[in-house]
Amino acid sequence: QVQLVESGGGLVQAGGSLRLSCAASGRIFSNFAMGWFRQAPGKAREFVTAIRWSGGNTYYAESVKGRFTISKDNAENTVDLQMNSLKPEDTAVYYCAADQVWPLDYSNPKAFEYWGQGTQVTVSS
């Protein structure tokens, strides 16, 4: 079992920055995968970014590439999401996700077994 606890989020003006953090507890194996998804009201949950625990390869949705950065701290079992140049369309509840096995379809929320409680990010225009 893996537990995920998110922190960060809040309200920011367009063009601003926010940093989200996700702390994982429990047994974490070498092929561990962590990622961030988001869900806006009335919309499906969508992929934002993911990172391989071993090797640190990162993957991003086109909509956030160049603005968002995912990073990890293996010693602390945390993953951070630095969000810069935020836009109103980034407004959503952001969820941290994890799985013990790196999923082939890492952009599919169904590929991740463990989820955080979600944290609200609101970007005003």
Side-chain angles (χ1 to χ4, degrees):
Q1 275 288 55
V2 174
Q3 293 78 42
L4 303 175
V5 178
E6 298 141 346
S7 60
L11 174 64
V12 67
Q13 287 188 331
S17 300
L18 281 174
R19 190 175 185 89
L20 306 181
S21 185
C22 177
S25 60
R27 295 194 69 181
I28 296 174
F29 298 104
S30 61
N31 204 24
F32 198 62
M34 290 192 75
W36 290 92
F37 289 77
R38 66 187 182 186
Q39 189 166 18
K43 294 187 176 181
R45 192 166 296 189
E46 67 172 3
F47 170 73
V48 176
T49 180
I51 188 167
R52 285 181 179 261
W53 208 247
S54 176
N57 299 62
T58 57
Y59 306 85
Y60 295 93
E62 284 298 322
S63 60
V64 306
K65 202 171 287 185
R67 300 188 298 122
F68 290 12
T69 303
I70 189 171
S71 60
K72 64 181 177 68
D73 184 328
N74 286 45
E76 297 293 327
N77 288 346
T78 58
V79 166
D80 288 347
L81 178 62
Q82 178 65 42
M83 304 183 293
N84 298 328
S85 301
L86 282 162
K87 304 175 181 179
E89 51 263 44
D90 294 319
T91 295
V93 176
Y94 283 69
Y95 296 91
C96 177
D99 200 274
Q100 293 288 12
V101 178
W102 177 257
L104 290 176
D105 188 5
Y106 54 81
S107 65
N108 186 347
K110 294 182 179 180
F112 288 82
E113 181 174 359
Y114 305 105
W115 292 86
Q117 77 281 5
T119 185
Q120 178 70 45
V121 171
T122 303
V123 184
S124 63
S125 57

